[in-house]
Amino acid sequence: MNDLVRQHTALSDSDLEWLHLLVSEWQLLSDLSFADLVLWVPTRDGTRYVSVAQMRPNTGPTSYQDDMVGHLVPRGRRPMLDAALDEGRIVREGDPEWREEVPVRVESIPVRREGRVLGVIGRNTNLLTVRTPSRLELSYLQSASDLAQMIAAGSFPFPDQQVDMDASPRVGDGLIRLDADGVVQYASPNALSAYHRLGLAADLVGLHLGQATAELAPSKGPVDEALVKLASGWAPRETEVEGGDGVIQLRAIPLKPKGVRIGSLVLLRDVTELRRRERELMTKDATIREIHHRVKNNLQTVAALLRLQARRIDSERGRAGLEEAVRRVGSIAIVHETLSQNLDERVEFDEIADRVLTMVAEISPGAVSGRRTGRFGILAAEVATPLSMVLTEIIQNALEHGFGPGDTGAVEVSAVRGGGSRESRLLITVQDDGVGLPEGFDPHRSGNLGLQIVRTLVEGELGGGFDMQPAPGGGTRVVLDIPVDQDK
């Protein structure tokens, strides 16, 4: 719509925002009218109309089989559009039009904003299935007529209320029509069922909806006056009401077709099962986070016990082995600590990589600094846990074997994301400027425990590739190529 309006019309950005607000609401008018809606806006030179938006009803058959958006119509070809635009009134005159052997009743509703008519809504009703209307259909049509008059007067939609139409109740979910005092004149079967689920034993018609709703909603204090006013339709608002065995979502729409409030529409939807599932998911999420928190605590306890044991061992090799185990356990604990703070099983791995780099760099025998470049991004827990151990082993190996006491240098960890259509690759490089690899060293045959852990995790668990080679200019470079889901 933005492109069509800016290309063909002279409307301002604020006018365009009003049209967007109207289009976000007009599914309500379409469903109440059982009619297709097409928004026509006069072109910049005033000689034509351009259709910038279209809506089909959920409550009846469509009268347009084709998409009308983008069509241009010369002024004069559709006199009802001209009359609505020039006179600023709803035009209903004329016989039904025949489109592909289908009779269609055509009406034109001017769209007014701050006293100016911006465009015209063409309301087109398929008359092929016309029959004696039921009480529900009469209530729908009367409400549609009131809304059309409000659009023509510039009092609908409500500029101070932004509605999420995906989450807001719709006409078919349940509809209640109130008079000016808030008393129910009509309630659709779905609306009545929703209130019965809240605990209402009687019929809704004749009840004051605000008072009845407040009595059904549990309250420890006096009657909730705000809920009474909202359910009585005094202002355009949304809320949820929980009572009995149900939860319903309410949306009130005051009706002021001639500037004076004559009543209200209340749209409602039974969201009991939806809220129940949401509570179950929240409970599961909380349980999962608590599990990760406890695992992290247990791992830290294990690390503390290993650290105590290391202090009591006289053997240097034994003490070094236990200290390596402490770092391995610590790298896993970091992942679980991050998972305990998230709502899903995914983590931002950059923070974990930085913490692993800091933790392992503390064992540096000299003044060796560490840094990270690039982004790992968000990774699934089943990737993050083994990858944290892999980074720990590689950085620890670089510091222990690449640098001696008093040496200065640097270890750099870089990460690059990329890949194909179904999966992406994570390319990780760990490079140091230490003494380099011994001559004839083969990383795939080395008996070093750390490298054995790296090979097992990278090739077996992560399904990636691992290579270790001399770095240009001296030092060692380790390259990991790991597949990760593109969505993560």
Side-chain angles (χ1 to χ4, degrees), residues 290-302 333 336:
E290 178 63 20
I291 290 172
H292 284 302
H293 181 71
R294 293 189 181 188
V295 169
K296 182 262 296 185
N297 288 344
N298 290 338
L299 289 173
Q300 288 180 338
T301 300
V302 171
H336 283 283

Side-chain angles (χ1 to χ4, degrees), residues 300-462:
Q300 288 180 338
T301 300
V302 171
L305 292 173
L306 291 173
R307 197 175 292 112
L308 286 173
Q309 188 65 42
R311 292 171 184 168
R312 294 174 177 271
I313 293 181
D314 296 331
S315 169
E316 288 295 330
R317 291 188 59 187
R319 186 181 303 111
L322 286 176
E323 289 174 351
E324 287 184 4
V326 167
R327 286 187 287 273
R328 287 163 185 152
V329 172
S331 66
I332 303 174
I334 290 173
V335 177
H336 283 283
E337 181 179 4
T338 306
L339 288 169
S340 70
Q341 301 168 2
N342 293 341
L343 292 176
D344 54 21
E345 290 292 286
R346 301 192 298 172
V347 295
E348 177 63 61
F349 197 80
D350 293 333
E351 178 186 352
I352 293 175
D354 291 341
R355 292 180 63 180
V356 167
L357 192 60
T358 301
M359 178 184 70
V360 179
E362 293 174 354
I363 69 166
S364 170
V368 181
S369 62
R371 69 185 182 114
R372 172 182 58 85
T373 60
R375 289 194 68 250
F376 287 85
I378 298 175
L379 299 178
E382 58 265 25
V383 175
T385 301
L387 184 57
S388 67
M389 287 194 64
V390 167
L391 281 181
T392 300
E393 296 298 334
I394 293 175
I395 299 170
Q396 180 174 305
N397 189 75
L399 293 173
E400 287 185 354
H401 301 288
F403 302 94
D407 289 349
T408 59
V411 176
E412 180 178 323
V413 178
S414 66
V416 178
R417 293 287 288 262
S421 58
R422 292 193 60 186
E423 66 175 13
S424 61
R425 312 292 299 188
L426 176 58
L427 186 65
I428 304 168
T429 303
V430 181
Q431 183 167 322
D432 66 69
D433 55 1
V435 298
L437 296 173
E439 187 173 346
F441 179 80
D442 184 354
H444 297 284
R445 296 181 178 273
S446 171
N448 180 289
L449 176 60
L451 291 182
Q452 288 181 13
I453 292 174
V454 170
R455 286 198 302 268
T456 300
L457 293 177
V458 172
E459 297 174 355
E461 190 162 342
L462 295 174

Side-chain angles (χ1 to χ4, degrees), residues 24 30 32 51 61 94 132-133 147 155 215 224 234 243 252 254 304 315 317 323 369 383 385 429 433:
S24 72
S30 177
L32 290 171
S51 59
T132 303
L147 283 178
S155 58
E215 290 171 1
D224 188 342
W234 286 96
S315 169
R317 291 188 59 187
E323 289 174 351
S369 62
V383 175
T385 301
T429 303
D433 55 1

